[in-house]
Amino acid sequence: MKLHRLNALFVFLLVGSTAAYGQRILNMPTYTSKPYHFGFYIGINWYNFHIRHKPNLDDFPGYYSTITRVDPGYHVGIISDLRIVNHLNLRFNPAFAATVRRLEIDTYNPNFLRRQVYVKDVESSFVELPLELKFSSKRIHNYLVYVTGGLRYNIDLASQEKVLDDELFKIRRNDFAYEVGCGIDIFFEYFKMSPQLKAGFGFANLLVNDGSVYVNNIDKIYTRSVLFCITFE
């Protein structure tokens, strides 16, 4: 094939691809201007404890540390979204979440004259009530990116706060947290899907100081959480 024919073919492909790009269908073109919409989401969570010990651990001989082992849990929730102005939405996303946090308490056992790790599982089943603001970028064809920020109130249905048992590691039923997140809105022909990553920072002390040997050396416990979810709206 001669050189000028190759050049002509290259120009034809370039112009054709550019035209094809320009003719790509814009899915759901009026979606971001709607006053409100609804959806649902599913996800995987990782809940952890941020443990603050008492200032002087020398007052607690035989105690070494308490650490948390985190197993993934699950999230399911619904989305209600209210448009405030362009690129700013108010969202209320109630959810149910389940998780287990495993505490490993390293201490000295005087009965066996050696160190021993006590394992305490803390199971939680949350009703979550988060209220957040969503700040969105300008839409680029069928995509936009966004960040979120807000507050979350948790009710732990599995809390054993008032159970009289010194062998349990108890946490309080009610919790409050700050949340920040980010994600990408992907517009399809009939729905919008968004992968999202969110972090939560609890600011309510969850420790139930019942006088048991497992909490004597702990001052405060706060929630830390990470959620990866997929939303459909």
Side-chain angles (χ1 to χ4, degrees), residues 80-84 88-92 131-133:
S80 53
D81 184 291
L82 175 67
R83 178 177 176 269
I84 301 176
L88 178 62
N89 296 57
L90 179 66
R91 292 163 71 89
F92 177 59
L131 186 66
E132 64 185 22
L133 291 172

Side-chain angles (χ1 to χ4, degrees), residues 29 56 63 65 71 209:
N56 190 3
Y63 172 79
S65 66
D71 292 325
N209 195 347

Side-chain angles (χ1 to χ4, degrees), residues 123-125 156-163 171-173:
E123 299 183 4
S124 293
S125 299
D156 188 353
L157 303 179
S159 171
Q160 297 176 309
E161 176 181 359
K162 297 182 180 180
V163 176
I171 59 173
R172 299 195 180 278
R173 180 181 177 87

Side-chain angles (χ1 to χ4, degrees), residues 37-57:
H37 59 266
F38 303 94
F40 69 95
Y41 63 99
I42 56 176
I44 301 174
N45 62 55
W46 291 267
Y47 269 86
N48 201 350
F49 286 131
H50 175 62
I51 299 173
R52 290 187 180 178
H53 291 93
K54 291 184 177 177
N56 190 3
L57 287 180

Side-chain angles (χ1 to χ4, degrees), residues 108-138:
Y108 181 79
N109 188 329
N111 296 323
F112 296 97
L113 302 178
R114 60 180 175 83
R115 288 175 64 169
Q116 183 172 347
V117 175
Y118 296 89
V119 178
K120 297 294 178 181
D121 287 342
V122 181
E123 299 183 4
S124 293
S125 299
F126 296 118
V127 173
E128 295 193 347
L129 303 173
L131 186 66
E132 64 185 22
L133 291 172
K134 176 183 176 182
F135 303 89
S136 303
S137 70
K138 182 178 179 181

